Amino acid sequence: MTGIYATNSPEACHYVASDSRANIIVVENQKQLDKILQIKDKLSDLKAIVQYSGPLLEKLPNLYSWEEFMSLGLEIPDKTLDDIISGQKANQCCVLIYTSGTTGMPKGVMLSHDNITWTSHHASRAADMQPAEIKQESIVSYLPLSHIAAQIYDLWTGIQWGELVYFAQPDALKGSLVETLKEVNPSSHMGVPRVWEKIMEKIKEAVSHSAYIKKKLLTWAMSVGLEANQRDEEKSILFTLADVLVLDKLRAELGFSCCEKFFSGAAPLGKDTVQFFLGLNIKLYEAYGMSESSGPHFMSGPEVHKQSSCGKVVPGCRYKLVNIDTDGVGEVCFWGRNVFMGYLNMEDKTKETLDEDGWLHSGDLGKTDEDDFLYITGRIKELIITAGGENVPPVPIEDAVKKELPIISNAMLIGDKRKFLSMLLTLKCVTDAETTEPTDNLSSDTLEYFQQLGIQATKVSDVIGGKDPIVNQVIQEGIDRVNAKANSNAQRIQKWTIVGKDFSISGGELGPTMKLRRPFVLKMYHNEIENFYRE
């Protein structure tokens, strides 16, 4: 079984289908079918295409509706199926997870039956997910199941413990997710950082449009909630009052009135996001792992939690840090029954990642504290090495810029093998609800920010190319504040520019899990980057 993202282009679909030698492709509807019809003649292993939603608009050879497909099995004796099932072995490949291709072409991660069954049992218990005979857990499945985080959390763990799994509408991430959550009231919820950020942005926007007294009350309650949760002591009467009168109602509006566990994975959480949700009396438990480790190798949960940490190693797994520097930071390596079989058709890449002793080298940099909690500090491949030999981790600098300038949606630091650092910036804008494409219209919070400064711009095109000197001044002052805290001159941003549209999955700048595809952005904005470094 291999997943393909619904947002994939026909070319990306061809790569996965060809590399995995897919013999049956199941598509949701006509839109997805059209992609496969464009490429089917180039897929030599393809035997059949099945469409499981909506009528077939035309009859083609080896194209089946879901009903036609299911009827093919009516004449097959049960023994045939039983023989296939009994022929499965624990160490055989069960599923392929294709990486998001942030550092090159996607790689097919081979996970065995044992990888999946072991991980779904042990990682979920580390996160305090309960078996149905003890407590009926309920969750909402809305993230793409082609990604390991959703697959292990929604499918395999659900089967393992008898969870009640509700499937959200296909447009969940376009705005309907909250309505589904309110209907379901799940006991546990998992999101990638961008999902939590979008919820945060939506709440902030709603608060900004509230009446004065309501806004004051919300601000007060959230400041009380944040302070109480940061102290992590026994809650005061003031906190109980704020929670019952205000925060409880706000959580109910999000569909979280019965939710006890909130998880985040697939990328690091921003400090602002963590603190915002602490203000709502919601602790976000970070998990850390890879497709290559069948999902989580480190887990946080109600009993294992420290702020900014992604928890402790899952019981039964091992870890080590290699090439440790003077600050105690080294590459995180994994070992255990959750570690993958290797990459499909990529023996050389497998040997780069998996050493002879079975240790999986993550490519991530991290450190541990005295209690064995892990903190991820950066990524080896993302490390910028300037022409002067200075090692610069880009993510902390990018996060600092976004914190200083709340109008910035994405920031990407440039400077590998260059004389100095520069930065590409995108402004927060309205996203088209249908296509999820970023539009030219600035978001409401950006407009409000601009209006407070007397800036009349309402579109991205109003400010790019230095058209609005006040916007330029505001951004430069924010960059200056970040530069003032830099560890060295080499870590200061010398030049920057606002690009014409925000980064997106459809534009190719972000991968399917919203991770920045740096090599793609470097190619896409080659001319703008070269302009920084012309003498």
Side-chain angles (χ1 to χ4, degrees), residues 395-465:
V395 176
I397 298 173
E398 292 160 353
D399 287 346
V401 168
K402 287 190 277 189
K403 185 178 180 183
E404 286 293 343
L405 295 163
I407 55 173
I408 298 299
S409 176
N410 282 286
M412 180 168 143
L413 196 67
I414 315 289
D416 204 46
K417 303 182 183 71
R418 304 281 194 173
K419 292 178 182 177
F420 58 83
L421 300 182
S422 58
M423 185 169 270
L424 299 175
L425 302 170
T426 71
L427 294 174
K428 286 182 181 174
C429 62
V430 176
T431 302
D432 186 295
E434 278 305 305
T435 64
T436 68
E437 280 268 354
T439 68
D440 191 35
N441 297 320
L442 295 170
S443 67
S444 58
D445 50 341
T446 305
L447 290 174
E448 188 179 340
Y449 188 93
F450 278 178
Q451 284 161 8
Q452 288 172 357
L453 298 167
I455 297 166
Q456 302 301 313
T458 59
K459 298 179 184 296
V460 178
S461 53
D462 293 339
V463 301
I464 57 171

Side-chain angles (χ1 to χ4, degrees), residues 162 200 306 436:
M200 175 176 73
K306 279 190 182 182
T436 68

Side-chain angles (χ1 to χ4, degrees), residues 88-119:
Q88 303 291 307
K89 299 291 184 283
N91 64 349
Q92 288 177 332
C93 183
C94 172
V95 65
L96 290 172
I97 304 282
Y98 274 83
T99 62
S100 51
T102 50
T103 57
M105 293 305 285
K107 298 185 284 287
V109 173
M110 296 189 287
L111 298 180
S112 69
H113 294 273
D114 187 61
N115 286 152
I116 288 165
T117 51
W118 192 92
T119 306

